[in-house]
Amino acid sequence: MTLLTFRFAPSPNGELHLGHAYSALLNQQMAARAGGRLLLRIEDIDITRCTPEFEAGIVRDLKWLGLDWEEPVRRQSEHFDEYKAVLDRLIAEELVYPAFMSRGEIRAFIAETERRGRGWPRDPDGVPLYPPLDKALPMKERKRRIAENMPFAWRLDMKAAIASAPAALSWLEFTDETITTTRIVEATPQDWGDVIVARRDIPTSYHLAVVVDDALQGVSHVVRGQDLHSATGVQRLLQELLRFTPPRYFHHRLILGPDGRKLSKSLKDTGLAALRQAGLSPHDVRRLVGL
Ligand code: GLU
């Protein structure tokens, strides 16, 4: 039997709060109950917002909570070559295209469309979908712009991707944290439009790096917050296109703030470091998150 593998994958662009504590502790508990292993992955592709100080803080907070994980820790910023190799496969298969529009150009295009009385679709996060202009550019024009060093991101041709990977339109989700039963969840990656697969400055995006790492690390069980539920459709699609074995998923409840909203990294009073300084114990944190 293969070893079950879980992972906790924070981004070091802020301090950990109670929501992260719940996710990390739940991963640990589920891995222990299943006799599996737990990995820690530092998702720091955003080199402008992620810092070594935040990373050190995360490790300190997790150790204080009593979490332990299998070494080595995988730091995404050290693996750009691996993402680039996978991106090159998608480029060769013409499943991605160079997207040149700046944020301002996208905004102007949508404002103009809406001014003419036509609505413009938004993704599940409320962000307008990428306009179809660049996808329609003739190859000659694409080449000319690239030769002129115009900055561009690589975007997934969602329509072509779905057409070439129809099996990707569902994933297996555990019905509860005992991971005994799964159900099939219908995936609707098209809700996200032509998502970014590689940003202008780096050869990857959040989705691509997660999918590559989960596959390379042999992750069998992804346990993460409900806020990533609909992003799973995009990740399933990438797994299918890249012929990776998909993990199974459990999207857990979110820890909400006193205002009933999702905790954010700027909510200082729910930060683990602040709670520790206020005299709370790891046991108190478990109780606060209902574990
Ligand atoms: N790095 C992501 C975050 O901190 C989590 C990604 C994942 O669990 O798939 O929200």
Side-chain angles (χ1 to χ4, degrees):
M1 214 184 85
T2 49
L3 193 57
L4 304 188
T5 302
F6 294 71
R7 67 5 174 229
F8 177 59
S11 298
N13 56 11
E15 289 173 18
L16 293 190
H17 55 57
L18 283 177
H20 298 107
Y22 177 61
S23 200
L25 290 169
L26 187 63
N27 264 288
Q28 182 179 47
Q29 180 176 305
M30 289 170 70
R33 284 186 183 158
R37 58 187 188 138
L38 176 62
L39 307 178
L40 174 64
R41 186 163 78 219
I42 298 295
E43 301 212 322
D44 60 348
I45 60 167
D46 192 343
I47 36 197
T48 56
R49 290 170 61 221
C50 296
T51 68
E53 291 73 28
F54 282 134
E55 183 184 320
I58 287 175
V59 169
R60 193 173 52 234
D61 289 348
L62 292 177
K63 290 216 163 119
W64 173 73
L65 274 181
L67 206 80
D68 56 280
W69 52 85
E70 207 177 285
E71 298 286 340
V73 171
R74 184 174 171 94
R75 193 176 292 119
Q76 289 187 327
S77 61
E78 293 169 354
H79 297 276
F80 285 147
D81 289 356
E82 284 155 68
Y83 307 133
K84 170 82 171 54
V86 171
L87 172 66
D88 285 344
R89 283 168 58 191
L90 296 173
I91 296 172
E93 293 183 29
E94 295 183 15
L95 291 165
V96 291
Y97 63 87
F100 300 96
M101 288 175 88
S102 66
R103 277 197 203 150
E105 286 169 334
I106 299 172
R107 254 197 313 272
F109 173 88
I110 290 159
E112 178 57 21
T113 309
E114 290 182 334
R115 201 183 53 77
R116 289 204 225 109
R118 272 185 283 147
W120 190 258
R122 276 23 197 195
D123 73 19
D125 285 345
V127 177
L129 301 195
Y130 192 69
L133 306 182
D134 287 340
K135 190 168 128 177
L137 279 183
M139 193 52 92
K140 220 173 125 193
E141 177 61 12
R142 277 186 197 171
K143 287 198 173 139
R144 187 189 67 79
R145 293 187 184 190
I146 293 173
E148 280 179 7
N149 284 328
M150 253 179 100
F152 65 93
W154 288 102
R155 284 187 178 261
L156 189 67
D157 181 339
M158 184 56 80
K159 216 167 145 209
I162 291 177
S164 76
L169 293 181
S170 67
W171 75 81
L172 286 180
E173 176 94 18
F174 292 105
T175 50
D176 67 36
E177 57 196 64
T178 60
I179 58 169
T180 44
T181 336
T182 52
R183 67 190 163 93
I184 296 174
V185 176
E186 187 200 344
T188 52
Q190 64 274 18
D191 293 351
W192 295 91
D194 291 352
V195 287
I196 295 189
V197 171
R199 299 190 201 166
R200 288 176 171 213
D201 51 343
I202 48 170
T204 187
S205 64
Y206 157 64
H207 290 303
L208 188 67
V210 164
V211 161
V212 169
D213 286 356
D214 283 342
L216 286 180
Q217 296 189 287
V219 171
S220 58
H221 291 63
V222 171
V223 174
R224 59 184 181 188
Q226 192 63 36
D227 51 338
L228 288 169
H229 188 269
S230 78
T232 306
V234 174
Q235 295 174 17
R236 272 296 295 123
L237 183 55
L238 289 172
Q239 287 156 2
E240 206 63 32
L241 296 174
L242 296 164
R243 294 172 283 284
F244 291 154
T245 307
R248 293 170 182 207
Y249 292 87
F250 179 65
H251 291 96
H252 60 69
R253 66 182 163 86
L254 297 179
I255 304 293
L256 302 177
D259 56 357
R261 293 171 54 155
K262 204 180 118 179
L263 296 181
S264 83
K265 289 190 171 161
S266 54
L267 270 177
K268 283 275 176 277
D269 50 343
T270 58
L272 295 185
L275 294 173
R276 182 169 64 240
Q277 273 147 29
L280 269 73
S281 68
H283 179 76
D284 296 327
V285 170
R286 283 176 184 271
R287 198 178 30 82
L288 276 175
V289 298
L291 275 175

